[in-house]
Amino acid sequence: MRFSRSSRVARGGLWASTLLSLVAAVSSGAAFAADVEPRTDRDVSLSGTARLVHRPGDSKPVIRLTADGFKQIGSAWLTKRVNLARSFEITFTARLRGGGRTGADGIAFVAQGIGPRALGGWGGGLGYRGLSRSVAVEFDTYQNAPDPDSNHVAVTLGGDPDRHVAAGDPSIPLLGKPFRARIRYDADTQRITAHVRSLAPGATEQLLLDEHVDIAGTTGATRGWIGFTGATGDVTSRQDVYDWAVTTPQA
Ligand SMILES: [Ca+2]
């Protein structure tokens, strides 16, 4: 009896949720109704050293989080707030280039409930250290003391890059050549996955992370912000993100 009642409630909740999302999609222009990509300064909120760079002949701008200077911090958030209690998938290309053989410190995809000007710490903070209401998937190119190595992808919570909830080692270098990343969040099972692949023809994706995370609970926001942070320290890097799109997952 209780199970049956719960099921009806669950079904009712699902229908209400679907209806609400359709209404939200129609009324807001909808972060999740279709692909969303930042094309102008109005589409993305930039802080610190982050800039939109319009390359000649390219209709889509590049988000340059850091520009190869020392102790730089940049953040770029989608201007439209998004429903962090729902599933989403984000794909992007990143190109992280150090001045020498090493480059630091890396970038992170972050969902947060703080605000459109949120900006964290430099260096190993990757631009998100201290963003307490956040979930990050970091692409770290520099080994700080708590890090396993200088080429890892990890999930972190609460703006703490020193504590990896889960970490994976890409078979490709994150520094030097551009790579494609795909991060998917399944709100029903509260699992986040991250894949990377090189841009070489025929390259296959590598699954790096598959971890339980309650994004809405951790960020304290059902309507929050998603975007990227990046930082440099005493070692520098030019860190670009482009071809960024947010979509609803395929059924
Ligand atoms: Ca690091």
Side-chain angles (χ1 to χ4, degrees):
M1 186 64 183
R2 290 181 63 190
F3 178 80
S4 169
R5 181 187 173 122
S6 300
S7 298
R8 279 201 301 274
V9 172
R11 281 198 299 272
L14 180 61
W15 279 109
S17 166
T18 304
L19 181 60
L20 281 174
S21 29
L22 286 171
V23 170
V26 170
S27 65
S28 70
F32 290 129
D35 289 3
V36 175
E37 287 183 276
R39 292 178 181 273
T40 74
D41 286 12
R42 284 178 298 181
D43 299 329
V44 55
S45 176
L46 303 166
S47 291
T49 52
R51 298 286 182 272
L52 288 192
V53 177
H54 298 268
R55 298 181 299 193
D58 194 341
S59 62
K60 302 172 187 174
V62 170
I63 300 171
R64 179 152 295 158
L65 293 164
T66 63
D68 213 17
F70 295 109
K71 295 185 178 178
Q72 295 187 327
I73 317 168
S75 69
W77 309 106
L78 198 62
T79 304
K80 284 183 183 296
R81 286 200 282 172
V82 297
N83 188 338
L84 297 177
R86 292 191 55 204
S87 300
F88 65 85
E89 184 172 88
I90 180 165
T91 53
F92 61 93
T93 302
R95 188 177 187 198
L96 317 178
R97 288 168 287 172
R101 292 181 62 185
T102 59
D105 280 87
I107 64 168
F109 164 76
V110 182
Q112 49 95 359
I114 300 163
R117 309 298 294 178
L119 187 66
W122 59 277
L126 292 171
Y128 74 85
R129 185 192 293 279
L131 302 186
S132 55
R133 294 166 59 187
S134 71
V135 173
V137 177
E138 63 170 34
F139 299 80
D140 192 325
T141 64
Y142 187 86
Q143 185 173 17
N144 299 93
D147 291 333
D149 53 43
S150 60
N151 193 67
H152 62 272
V153 176
V155 177
T156 69
L157 307 178
D160 183 1
D162 297 340
R163 184 175 176 276
H164 300 151
V165 175
D169 279 319
S171 60
I172 58 171
L174 301 176
L175 191 69
K177 293 183 178 178
F179 63 87
R180 188 79 177 154
R182 181 166 66 90
I183 296 168
R184 179 172 178 155
Y185 180 61
D186 185 325
D188 294 332
T189 59
Q190 296 188 334
R191 293 201 79 81
I192 192 166
T193 56
H195 292 78
V196 298
R197 66 171 169 82
S198 81
L199 299 191
T204 56
E205 281 190 324
Q206 179 188 4
L207 174 65
L208 292 170
L209 300 170
D210 183 356
E211 186 63 27
H212 178 270
V213 176
D214 176 3
I215 292 186
T218 305
T219 60
T222 50
R223 295 188 71 221
W225 291 266
I226 59 171
F228 298 94
T229 67
T232 66
D234 296 327
V235 180
T236 69
S237 186
R238 175 177 295 173
Q239 303 180 114
D240 293 344
V241 172
Y242 50 101
D243 286 342
W244 167 20
V246 181
T247 63
T248 50
Q250 297 297 309

